[in-house]
Amino acid sequence: MHILEWQAGGATGSAMDESFIFADDQNWFVVTQPSEGVYAIREPLHDEDVRSYLLTGSEKALLVDTGMGVSDISRIVKGITRLPVMVVNSHAHWDHVGGNCQFGDIAIHAAEATRLSDPDLTTALRNACAPERLYGPLPPGVTREALSIPPSRATTLLHGGESFDLGGRTFEAIHTPGHAAGLLVFLDRQAGVLLSTDAVYPGPLYAQFEECDLNAYLASLNALAKLAPALNHVHPSHNADEMPVSLIVQMRDSMAEVVAGRRPDEVGDDHATHWFDGFGIYVTSGYRGSRTA
Ligand SMILES: [Zn+2]
Ligand SMILES: [Zn+2]
């Protein structure tokens, strides 16, 4: 594999990141290392700005999510490590499972597993790759019409509480439903490193889908807020490689307001938005809080 040296003003046009490692020769992925043994594999030319994460120990590596499926992420993973790689999906949304077909074994929460063969994943990917949502060209030879997320199969069903021993460090899967029923985050308790996936990231939190459960989301944020004092690094799946730990508590408090019936700041056809300091929460337009919270 040929990995090109990064050239300023290249793939993203965004500011150089100090932890930058390399950009790939297909000009789609950018890899950074935001903390020890944690590699963020970004897809910065799409507005979701999603990251998959490769976590390395002394004996194994864990790939958390496989990206959009626009370009071959397995090639990037092989460029980072020669360790045996296990794949786990945080949940089954299209931008997290797109490259699953490039790997043999996939672990995912039981509540998400059947979605891996859903043809709607391909539809979602093609819709999401509308020109106005891209900051640059698709990789050479790739067209929007030909994009697809082939069905993949879960080989390990998770429920939360499982540990992934990578040699010298262990990540624990924690079930944090709300955004999706089977959403998982991954915690290295010893190092205080949290992969917060789609539970918390700096930007509008997506709680507007039919599948989203606001009460469950709040309970998950409560659980994460309890962990916060012991955390040193939080690596989210969207918009940044690292976010302030303190944002977790702010997001929990804000979600509590939304669930208690806070009036949204904007109401659109698609979703309503609650704005807070530096982030937002999207809910369905008709949502006006939940009495059961
Ligand atoms: Zn998601
Ligand atoms: Zn996502």
Side-chain angles (χ1 to χ4, degrees), residues 50 91 93 95-96 179 198 237-238:
V50 73
H91 61 310
H93 284 163
D95 48 335
H96 297 257
H179 168 78
D198 276 9
S237 288
H238 292 275

Side-chain angles (χ1 to χ4, degrees), residues 32-102:
T32 57
Q33 187 182 4
S35 70
E36 174 86 44
V38 175
Y39 297 86
I41 306 174
R42 291 181 58 196
E43 301 183 53
L45 295 185
H46 189 269
D47 68 0
E48 288 291 349
D49 196 12
V50 73
R51 284 137 175 85
S52 306
Y53 283 94
L54 186 71
L55 312 172
T56 58
S58 59
E59 289 164 25
K60 288 179 187 168
L62 183 66
L63 179 63
V64 177
D65 293 334
T66 60
M68 295 170 58
V70 165
S71 191
D72 182 357
I73 196 171
S74 68
R75 175 172 72 78
I76 302 299
V77 168
K78 286 184 195 124
I80 300 170
T81 186
R82 291 176 188 274
L83 293 169
V85 177
M86 305 178 280
V87 178
V88 61
N89 291 136
S90 60
H91 61 310
H93 284 163
W94 65 273
D95 48 335
H96 297 257
V97 303
N100 275 15
C101 59
Q102 295 153 22

Side-chain angles (χ1 to χ4, degrees), residues 203-208 214 217 221 250-259 262 264-266 271-276 279-284 287:
L205 300 179
Y206 285 5
Q208 77 274 33
L214 276 284
Y217 208 144
L221 293 181
Q250 289 177 48
M251 287 176 166
R252 186 273 312 271
D253 293 345
S254 302
M255 187 65 80
E257 284 183 44
V258 170
V259 167
R262 183 186 189 273
D265 300 294
E266 289 168 31
H271 61 264
T273 307
H274 294 265
W275 289 118
F276 298 95
F279 65 95
I281 298 176
Y282 290 169
V283 297
T284 53
Y287 184 76

Side-chain angles (χ1 to χ4, degrees), residues 3-4 14 16 53 56 88 90 104 110 118-119 135 186 202-203 252 263-264 289:
I3 303 280
L4 290 181
S14 63
M16 283 283 283
Y53 283 94
T56 58
V88 61
S90 60
D118 192 338
Y135 301 126
F186 301 90
R252 186 273 312 271
R263 188 179 272 272

Side-chain angles (χ1 to χ4, degrees), residues 215-226:
N215 292 325
Y217 208 144
L218 177 57
S220 294
L221 293 181
N222 268 322
L224 294 179
K226 278 197 189 116

